Amino acid sequence: MDIEAILKQMVAAANDAVEGDVGEITDYAKQIVEQQKQSLEELAKARISGEIDDDVFEQEVEREKQVVKAQLLAVQIMTEAAAQKAVNAAIDTFKNAVKTII
């Protein structure tokens, strides 16, 4: 049994399992940043121009904070799902390698 070869196969399987997920997670994170950039810019302009007062500004900032928190939780879930896929692929590769030897 060549454990080094099995470990390399496990790493390759894990990488293959999440290859598409990494790009999707990165794209979603970039989208969050871009959305927040627009929202915060509009909020700042509204406050600076006097369109909204301090109370409304604070409420809106808190709302934006909650939106970002929810979006980041989605990123966390996506990341955990990708990690689980990678672990499953690596362990399946290990089990198959051992079964092949038997």
Side-chain angles (χ1 to χ4, degrees):
M1 178 173 94
D2 183 355
I3 193 68
E4 292 297 324
I6 293 171
L7 291 174
K8 285 180 184 177
Q9 292 171 356
M10 290 172 67
V11 169
N15 285 334
D16 289 346
V18 297
E19 186 175 340
D21 296 328
V22 172
E24 182 181 340
I25 292 167
T26 301
D27 290 346
Y28 186 67
K30 286 178 185 176
Q31 187 179 30
I32 291 170
V33 170
E34 192 58 38
Q35 287 171 348
Q36 289 309 306
K37 175 185 168 188
Q38 277 185 316
S39 295
L40 295 174
E41 184 177 20
E42 289 171 12
L43 186 57
K45 285 179 181 178
R47 180 61 195 110
I48 292 167
S49 71
E51 185 179 328
I52 61 175
D53 62 18
D54 280 339
D55 289 339
V56 173
F57 178 76
E58 289 299 327
Q59 290 170 2
E60 290 299 314
V61 168
E62 185 59 32
R63 187 184 64 75
E64 289 298 324
K65 180 177 162 184
Q66 295 305 315
V67 168
V68 171
K69 182 178 178 180
Q71 291 172 323
L72 291 177
L73 287 173
V75 171
Q76 180 182 0
I77 290 167
M78 293 167 71
T79 303
E80 287 175 5
Q84 188 61 55
K85 283 172 52 176
V87 168
N88 290 345
I91 294 302
D92 287 346
T93 299
F94 173 74
K95 290 190 313 189
N96 290 334
V98 172
K99 287 179 185 176
T100 301
I101 295 170
I102 298 174

